[in-house]
């Protein structure tokens, strides 16, 4: 891995850690009982993994778009439950679905990072 790429990934990881720190510092503890807060933290983690894909610039690594779109749709449903007439239990289930789809997508991407690149013969 070239030194410039290592610097970019370290800087990007540091910025995402700062985003998480700001979220935790400037919110009260009662907010973290909200499903929307869980979705925001999950989305920041998914953004970190997608940023790694972008910085690596590996043509063999592609994020699962369907899972990410599903996670975004679920996240929007959690952020706007009233117009969609979602009850509190359904909002929690949708939040779990959003974080779960982000987690599965991130796991697939991170697994592809660990695979050795196949060399053409």
């Amino acid at each position: 891995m070239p030194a410039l790429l290592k610097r970019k990934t370290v800087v990007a990881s540091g910025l995402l850690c700062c985003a998480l720190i700001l979220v935790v510092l400037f919110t009260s503890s009662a907010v973290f009982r909200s499903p929307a807060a869980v979705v925001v933290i999950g989305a920041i983690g998914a953004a970190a993994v997608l940023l790694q894909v972008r910085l690596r610039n590996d043509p063999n690594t592609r994020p699962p778009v369907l899972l990410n779109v599903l996670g975004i749709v679920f996240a929007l449903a959690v952020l706007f439950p009233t117009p969609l007439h979602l009850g509190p239990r359904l909002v929690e289930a949708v939040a779990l679905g959003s974080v779960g789809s982000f987690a599965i997508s991130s796991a697939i991407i991170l697994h592809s990072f660990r695979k050795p690149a196949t060399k053409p013969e």
Side-chain angles (χ1 to χ4, degrees):
M1 189 181 290
L4 182 60
L5 180 61
K6 284 184 182 180
R7 266 191 221 126
K8 283 183 182 179
T9 56
V10 169
V11 169
S13 299
L15 290 173
L16 287 166
C17 285
C18 287
L20 281 172
I21 289 169
L22 289 174
V23 167
V24 171
L25 284 178
F26 292 111
T27 55
S28 66
S29 62
V31 173
F32 284 108
R33 294 184 190 100
S34 163
V38 174
V39 169
V40 168
I41 299 296
I44 290 173
V49 173
L50 292 173
L51 187 62
Q52 289 291 324
V53 170
R54 182 81 173 164
L55 290 176
R56 282 181 184 251
N57 203 14
D58 183 12
N60 296 329
T61 305
R62 291 189 303 194
V65 177
L66 183 62
L67 279 173
N68 289 330
V69 168
L70 187 65
I72 291 169
V73 168
F74 284 163
L76 289 173
V78 169
L79 294 177
F80 304 108
T82 306
L84 298 173
H85 306 291
L86 300 177
R89 289 199 184 254
L90 188 57
V91 170
E92 289 177 3
V94 172
L96 180 64
S98 175
V99 172
S101 65
F102 287 144
I104 293 169
S105 172
S106 298
I108 291 169
I109 293 168
L110 292 174
H111 180 71
S112 71
F113 285 165
R114 296 187 71 194
K115 282 185 189 174
T118 58
K119 296 180 182 177
E121 295 179 18

